[in-house]
Amino acid sequence: METTLTIAIPTYNRAAILSENLKSFLGKIDDKIQVLVSDNFSNDDTEEVCISLVKIYPNFKYFKNEKNLGYDANVLNSLLKSNSKYVWFLSDDDFVTPEIINEIFHYLNGNSPAGILVNAIVKDKDSGSVLIESLGITNKDKKEFCDDNTFQKYIQWSTLISSIIIQKQKVDLQIAKNYIGSCFIQLYIFWGSCANEHIYIYGSKKIVKYDSEKPSFNLSNYEIWFKSWIKVINSFKSIYSVTAIKNASTGLYVRSRFNQSGILTYVILCRAYSIISLNDLSLIYCSLNLSIYQKIIIFIVLCIPAQFLLLLINISKKIKLLSR
């Protein structure tokens, strides 16, 4: 039997925090809300934790993949396993109160938005200090039509998978599979299914996201937050306007905490580590708002052999260390 809402939690090897998270709201929310965990073949105590909770809570389901599918495929798997009109994705280490869950559940029983964006406060995982007071840039609850303006205004908010609630039937599962490996499958799931529909902005109350005060920009981070980011946003060009695509892509490096590493920094490091090449020039140009100066610099950087550029970066690092 279909329920109104499923809280779907993709997880991998986070037994302790997952247990804490589940116990914070199971038994305190409406028993008509389904909660499921999609375990990406964890080798810690995740299975034992979840099986013990299955025995206690009839509305809790546990599924374990036969192998590790990767992040995006596991998110999609959690969607497929759900049996409800709406699915709320929740990261295993993001916390939401039972009050918020119940409030949204009752709203969905009386309304039919294409999707919901739930606000979040971001805190440092060590100190607990507030890094971002309102990820959703609004503290109001309101309906909005999902057009170009809404897309470019809220796209960064939706990178937090725990902020996303969608109607399952509106998601084109075949197209969603194309986003496996991008680390941003949630963006298509939300913005692809909600385009030209009304969504609900739940800004008055917030889930809690724990992050680091100083984001680590390693090789994987640069690949995800530059090449993969602009590629995924650019894929929406058949749904949203070119202007909206460029504003959405570029906004990440202007308004967010990523502004400490601007577009040119991303280009230089991605080129040095062979993440991008001249073959990506067209994608970069058509996805970002760039000045003539930036376009010229980017072209020159992409012409430089990756190994030589990496050598220059390493020399620069050594000079800085010696000058201290």
Side-chain angles (χ1 to χ4, degrees):
M1 175 184 259
E2 184 182 78
T3 60
T4 301
L5 177 64
T6 293
I7 297 175
I9 307 175
T11 192
Y12 176 68
N13 276 357
R14 285 177 171 172
I17 194 70
L18 175 66
S19 176
E20 180 184 352
N21 200 343
L22 289 169
K23 290 176 182 178
S24 72
F25 62 81
L26 279 174
K28 303 171 187 175
I29 58 175
D30 194 298
D31 58 13
K32 297 184 183 66
I33 301 172
Q34 182 185 78
V35 180
L36 72 82
V37 165
S38 181
D39 180 2
N40 213 4
F41 201 59
S42 297
N43 54 22
D44 62 357
D45 295 331
T46 296
E47 185 171 356
E48 289 77 4
V49 166
C50 291
I51 288 177
S52 67
L53 293 174
V54 165
K55 296 176 181 178
I56 301 172
Y57 303 104
N59 62 329
F60 178 63
K61 308 296 180 185
Y62 171 69
F63 302 94
K64 185 172 184 178
N65 301 330
E66 293 182 356
K67 62 179 181 179
N68 191 305
L69 304 176
Y71 166 77
D72 297 295
N74 196 34
V75 169
L76 189 59
N77 191 53
S78 69
L79 176 65
L80 294 172
K81 295 292 186 182
S82 66
N83 182 30
S84 60
K85 180 178 180 180
Y86 288 93
V87 177
W88 183 351
F89 298 102
L90 182 65
S91 180
D92 51 19
D93 59 348
D94 294 341
F95 288 81
V96 56
T97 65
E99 290 75 18
I100 291 176
I101 296 173
N102 285 326
E103 187 171 315
I104 287 178
F105 174 66
H106 292 306
Y107 175 82
L108 290 174
N109 280 325
N111 301 272
S112 296
I116 296 178
L117 285 174
V118 184
N119 205 355
I121 183 171
V122 182
K123 296 183 176 182
D124 181 73
K125 61 184 178 182
D126 297 318
S127 67
S129 60
V130 175
L131 302 178
I132 302 175
E133 181 64 41
S134 178
L135 189 64
I137 62 174
T138 180
N139 292 313
K140 296 181 179 180
D141 300 337
K142 55 185 176 180
K143 290 182 181 179
E144 288 206 22
F145 186 71
C146 191
D147 56 11
D148 282 356
N149 183 57
T150 303
F151 171 69
Q152 63 193 33
K153 182 166 58 173
Y154 296 130
I155 186 67
Q156 289 180 48
W157 180 3
S158 62
T159 58
L160 179 62
I161 193 170
S162 301
S163 288
I164 291 176
I165 302 173
I166 51 92
Q167 276 198 48
K168 180 179 178 179
Q169 65 176 8
K170 290 184 177 294
V171 180
D172 189 319
L173 299 176
Q174 288 303 120
I175 295 179
K177 290 178 181 178
N178 296 330
Y179 291 82
I180 292 176
S182 70
C183 291
F184 289 118
I185 194 170
Q186 70 270 23
L187 298 185
Y188 169 74
I189 287 175
F190 189 84
W191 297 104
S193 64
C194 295
N196 299 314
E197 303 262 7
H198 281 93
I199 62 174
Y200 187 64
I201 304 298
Y202 187 82
S204 62
K205 296 176 184 175
K206 305 164 188 172
I207 60 176
V208 179
K209 168 69 178 176
Y210 289 100
D211 207 339
S212 175
E213 189 170 1
K214 295 181 179 180
S216 59
F217 290 95
N218 54 32
L219 174 59
S220 176
N221 285 55
Y222 278 109
E223 183 169 9
I224 291 169
W225 291 105
F226 188 73
K227 185 173 182 178
S228 186
W229 167 259
I230 63 175
K231 186 176 180 180
V232 168
I233 302 302
N234 193 59
S235 72
F236 296 130
K237 60 187 177 184
S238 63
I239 306 174
Y240 302 99
S241 71
V242 172
T243 299
I245 294 294
K246 288 189 173 183
N247 288 341
S249 296
T250 311
L252 180 74
Y253 311 106
V254 177
R255 299 196 307 269
S256 74
R257 290 165 64 220
F258 290 91
N259 60 14
Q260 63 182 332
S261 298
I263 291 173
L264 294 181
T265 301
Y266 276 85
V267 170
I268 291 169
L269 288 169
C270 285
R271 178 57 188 147
Y273 290 104
S274 301
I275 295 170
I276 57 176
S277 67
L278 273 173
N279 294 331
D280 299 301
L281 188 63
S282 177
L283 173 65
I284 295 170
Y285 280 4
C286 70
S287 301
L288 296 166
N289 288 321
L290 299 169
S291 66
I292 296 298
Y293 163 77
Q294 288 175 313
K295 287 182 178 180
I296 293 172
I297 295 298
I298 289 171
F299 174 75
I300 292 172
V301 168
L302 295 183
C303 289
I304 300 173
Q307 290 182 333
F308 179 69
L309 193 57
L310 184 59
L311 177 63
L312 292 178
I313 291 173
N314 289 332
I315 291 174
S316 175
K317 288 180 179 178
K318 289 179 180 179
I319 292 174
K320 286 182 179 179
L321 287 173
L322 291 173
S323 63
R324 289 180 179 177

